[in-house]
Amino acid sequence: MSPSASVVVSRAYSSPTTMKQNHLKRKRNDEHEQTKPRPPSWEALCVLGPYMDPETLAVASCVSTTWLECFSSDDLWKALLTSRSSQRSSPYEIVLNNNTDNISCKHLVSAVETDAKRRRKDQVAEPVKISLTDLSFIVHASTKTKKASVYKKGQDLEFGPNDKFKIQVDVSNAAITAGEDDVRMTWQVMYKGKFFTLADTTRSLDTKHGWFTDELEDKCNRKLVGDVKPSFNGEDVLEKIGFSIVDSDGWGSLLLDGFLRYLQRFLLE
């Protein structure tokens, strides 16, 4: 009997149980292929790129060849470079003002970020002498006719050991809407009878996006700014305000311990 005939005979005499098992196996394989999540298309990656910070973009570039092509686009890094250079006293502004046409924007961003990390690492961290539970926060949001004031105890805020400091309050009762002019927002800290104003900013809510405040006072001469994140409900009413502090040299947010060290230089004088 020829080899091909042997194969035919063996298939013909396969037991019903074996044939059923093979059918179920093929069915499971087909179902797995159908339910297996597909990677995002390159169009989606290009849309997400402008919303990522430099470190995330660099990590994403290492995932695959497609991701590398999407996230290494010089137009993407140039947009990031331009947006960050528009902030006051930004190190990116110095870079753009020099003749750097022969250097890729991705390389420029990497150089600025690396330098900022090095300088932060060289700074000796002082011990934290105040506790979050000793603090109280007062947040004001007002227009000429509307006002909301929120009091929040530090002990009611929950942070992990490596979390960035961020406070978010609900100001929806003021009924401030998107598009209103001269909206004033103030963030104050109270510590054992002492008051310290973190930030005081006035602007129009002509956009639903966040913004950076003017440069904050700092005893260490760092270029700190407030990062304001408003959120609106479905009727365009200002619902919540988020606030954190960002070092514009590298644009890293202050972690909880860094925020407490920042405060104690003013509150423990």
Side-chain angles (χ1 to χ4, degrees):
M1 183 182 295
S2 66
S4 59
S6 300
V7 173
V8 172
V9 172
S10 63
R11 288 181 178 177
Y13 285 94
S14 296
S15 66
T17 303
T18 302
M19 295 176 65
K20 184 177 181 181
Q21 288 176 348
N22 292 336
H23 174 72
L24 291 175
K25 186 176 181 180
R26 287 195 300 271
K27 184 177 181 181
R28 283 196 298 267
N29 290 336
D30 293 340
E31 291 176 349
H32 176 71
E33 290 297 326
Q34 293 175 359
T35 58
K36 184 179 179 181
R38 295 181 178 179
S41 64
W42 66 268
E43 294 94 339
L45 297 177
C46 293
V47 171
L48 292 174
Y51 298 94
M52 296 182 180
D53 56 73
E55 186 173 352
T56 305
L57 277 174
V59 173
S61 301
C62 301
V63 172
S64 67
T65 304
T66 303
W67 286 43
L68 175 62
E69 183 177 350
C70 289
F71 294 136
S72 296
S73 167
D74 208 51
D75 291 335
L76 176 62
W77 288 89
K78 185 176 181 179
L80 188 149
L81 192 64
T82 304
S83 64
R84 297 204 167 194
S85 66
S86 63
Q87 304 302 324
R88 180 178 296 182
S89 302
S90 169
Y92 290 92
E93 182 179 6
I94 300 174
V95 170
L96 283 180
N97 288 338
N98 288 279
N99 186 15
T100 55
D101 295 337
N102 58 336
I103 305 175
S104 71
C105 293
K106 181 179 180 180
H107 182 78
L108 290 175
V109 173
S110 176
V112 173
E113 294 290 327
T114 301
D115 181 65
K117 287 182 179 180
R118 178 188 56 77
R119 283 187 280 111
R120 286 197 298 268
K121 186 177 180 180
D122 291 340
Q123 294 177 350
V124 179
E126 62 183 279
V128 178
K129 300 176 183 178
I130 62 177
S131 171
L132 186 63
T133 57
D134 297 328
L135 305 176
S136 298
F137 299 87
I138 304 172
V139 182
H140 303 279
S142 62
T143 64
K144 295 179 180 179
T145 58
K146 304 172 183 177
K147 182 179 180 180
S149 297
V150 181
Y151 175 83
K152 209 160 192 176
K153 294 182 178 180
Q155 63 187 18
D156 296 332
L157 303 176
E158 297 182 0
F159 295 95
N162 296 317
D163 287 350
K164 75 174 185 179
F165 169 79
K166 180 180 179 180
I167 181 171
Q168 187 177 57
V169 297
D170 189 329
V171 294
S172 57
N173 60 335
I176 300 173
T177 58
E180 293 202 40
D181 296 325
D182 298 328
V183 180
R184 183 180 182 184
M185 300 181 185
T186 308
W187 292 266
Q188 294 178 311
V189 180
M190 184 170 62
Y191 172 76
K192 296 182 179 180
K194 296 182 179 181
F195 282 87
F196 176 70
T197 300
L198 286 170
D200 189 344
T201 180
T202 302
R203 62 167 291 146
S204 60
L205 292 183
D206 53 355
T207 176
K208 294 184 180 181
H209 301 292
W211 66 88
F212 293 110
T213 67
D214 291 336
E215 190 171 317
L216 306 179
E217 183 181 0
D218 182 45
K219 296 286 186 178
C220 295
N221 297 319
R222 292 172 297 177
K223 298 179 177 64
L224 303 181
V225 294
D227 187 7
V228 183
K229 291 289 195 321
S231 60
F232 297 80
N233 62 20
E235 299 177 352
D236 288 345
V237 174
L238 180 62
E239 188 171 30
K240 295 181 180 180
I241 305 172
F243 179 82
S244 58
I245 297 180
V246 175
D247 186 346
S248 60
D249 279 345
W251 298 98
S253 298
L254 292 190
L255 302 183
L256 178 59
D257 283 354
F259 172 73
L260 294 176
R261 292 189 187 96
Y262 166 76
L263 282 182
Q264 70 187 20
R265 298 183 187 115
F266 297 96
L267 299 175
L268 298 182
E269 287 183 334

